[in-house]
Amino acid sequence: MLYVSDTRADTEALNSAADRGSIRRVAHGIYTDAFDRPLDVIVAENLLAIIGRVYPGWYVSHSTAATLRPVDGVAFISGRGGRTPIKLPGVLIKRLPALAHPETLKLELDTFVAPRLRSEPARASVQLSAPLQTVLEVLSHDARQPQRSLPDEAV
């Protein structure tokens, strides 16, 4: 199970549970009860759910929207707000500015996430760049961020 806190009280309760060894802390506000797999594997399996819950005002973009996974360990999201990259086990999430009027769609995931230990988990979802916008995003090359685009033959 994946836990992503909604409130400060939830975070404190999940931190306490992690201190007791009931769950593992993946990153700030993100926890799991899976002890049998490395954290980078857990993040890879749940990356879209994590993005959808932790960054609800953002959308998955560029190569990440095209492949639904990171490219060379880098995932991209677009939105309004800070640009500081987010480091999770096994992946770096780069935040890019959103288009003025982005075309997005909602993807319902098969991953369930709970905000607290004893709460009912809910199906996670994430916003993605729409297909045409994704094509335009991956065709725009940036030498400073080569993972943003895909080779022309892949598009």
Side-chain angles (χ1 to χ4, degrees), residues 87-99:
K87 181 70 177 135
L88 297 177
V91 67
L92 178 67
I93 300 173
K94 291 192 175 182
R95 299 191 287 181
L96 302 172
L99 298 173

Side-chain angles (χ1 to χ4, degrees), residues 4-147:
V4 177
S5 59
D6 287 334
T7 66
R8 185 174 188 80
D10 292 344
T11 300
E12 290 171 4
L14 290 169
N15 276 334
S16 294
D19 290 344
R20 289 191 308 274
S22 303
I23 57 174
R24 293 168 69 189
R25 183 177 189 265
V26 176
H28 179 74
I30 306 167
Y31 304 84
T32 183
D33 59 4
F35 288 92
D36 58 338
R37 296 188 326 267
L39 290 178
D40 60 331
V41 172
I42 293 167
V43 168
E45 293 172 351
N46 297 290
L47 181 62
L48 295 178
I50 290 169
I51 291 170
R53 289 283 300 185
V54 178
Y55 302 99
W58 294 71
Y59 59 94
V60 175
S61 62
H62 296 81
S63 58
T64 310
T67 63
L68 299 180
R69 63 179 177 267
V71 172
D72 297 332
V74 180
F76 293 93
I77 61 176
S78 295
R80 289 168 178 61
R83 299 286 172 254
T84 305
I86 300 108
K87 181 70 177 135
L88 297 177
V91 67
L92 178 67
I93 300 173
K94 291 192 175 182
R95 299 191 287 181
L96 302 172
L99 298 173
H101 304 286
E103 292 285 329
T104 63
L105 55 91
K106 183 178 182 179
L107 178 63
E108 295 289 335
L109 304 169
D110 291 330
T111 305
F112 287 82
V113 181
R116 293 178 292 285
L117 283 178
R118 290 178 181 80
S119 65
E120 189 67 30
R123 182 179 292 259
S125 64
V126 67
Q127 291 293 123
L128 297 171
S129 292
L132 181 57
Q133 181 173 311
T134 300
V135 168
L136 296 174
E137 289 170 347
V138 298
L139 288 174
S140 67
H141 299 282
D142 183 343
R144 295 168 296 157
Q145 299 180 51
Q147 304 90 347

